[in-house]
Amino acid sequence: MTAHDIDLVLAPVDGSEASHEAVEYAIAIAGEYDARVHALYVLDEDVVRSLESGELDEADVADDTQSFTDSVARRAEAAGVAHSNSIAYGFSTKVKTVHPGSVVLDTAEEIAADFIVVPREPITGEPGAVLEKAAEYVLLYASQPVLSV
């Protein structure tokens, strides 16, 4: 790859330690290629169900994810890398084909990401570890180069 091949690096995150590490790699790659980095915060199934039932308010969820996205912003700015972020539902109670892996790939296509850095988390079953099963799916089906860390 040349520096012109990578303009945008996507880093799907869920607030876990593994996603912090993935962000570090994404920022390093973006810095190397003079690219931008986009952190996609993927919400877990329990949060999505609570949002859809009205038990949780979207503003509260945005506040909860803000500290992580602020951390990404600080690290990207310190490295001189342009950054952006978004939040996505990692599950749907209405569409069975929506899962964290598909959400990552759909977002990569929507934002025209050239490279994906996905955390490869151990299967813990812990609440909030949304991306632990998504890495394999992303590795198998992404049309972009993928680094799994």
Side-chain angles (χ1 to χ4, degrees):
M1 288 194 159
T2 66
H4 300 290
D5 291 330
I6 299 176
D7 294 319
L8 180 59
V9 178
L10 174 63
V13 298
D14 59 12
S16 64
E17 277 306 310
S19 30
H20 280 284
E21 185 176 358
V23 165
E24 290 299 325
Y25 278 94
I27 291 169
I29 291 165
E32 184 68 29
Y33 287 95
D34 195 27
R36 297 171 291 123
V37 68
H38 182 90
L40 170 67
Y41 201 105
V42 182
L43 300 176
D44 74 10
E45 186 173 5
D46 291 339
V47 171
V48 171
R49 287 184 187 282
S50 295
L51 283 166
E52 289 181 351
S53 71
E55 292 173 45
L56 268 179
D57 184 73
E58 281 192 27
D60 294 335
V61 173
D63 289 345
D64 288 346
T65 61
Q66 189 66 45
S67 63
F68 189 89
T69 53
D70 286 348
S71 166
V72 172
R74 281 191 304 275
R75 290 182 277 173
E77 288 165 7
V81 170
H83 60 88
S84 57
N85 62 67
S86 59
I87 299 173
Y89 287 19
F91 295 88
S92 170
T93 57
K94 297 170 182 59
V95 182
K96 289 186 182 222
T97 57
V98 173
H99 54 82
S102 70
V103 168
V104 170
L105 295 182
D106 289 348
T107 300
E109 291 303 315
E110 287 170 20
I111 67 171
D114 303 298
F115 198 97
I116 302 172
V117 179
V118 65
R120 188 168 194 101
E121 302 182 32
I123 304 297
T124 60
E126 288 181 27
V130 183
L131 297 171
E132 62 187 11
K133 296 175 189 163
E136 185 174 358
Y137 184 88
V138 172
L139 285 164
L140 286 171
Y141 298 109
S143 56
Q144 306 83 348
V146 178
L147 174 62
S148 175
V149 295

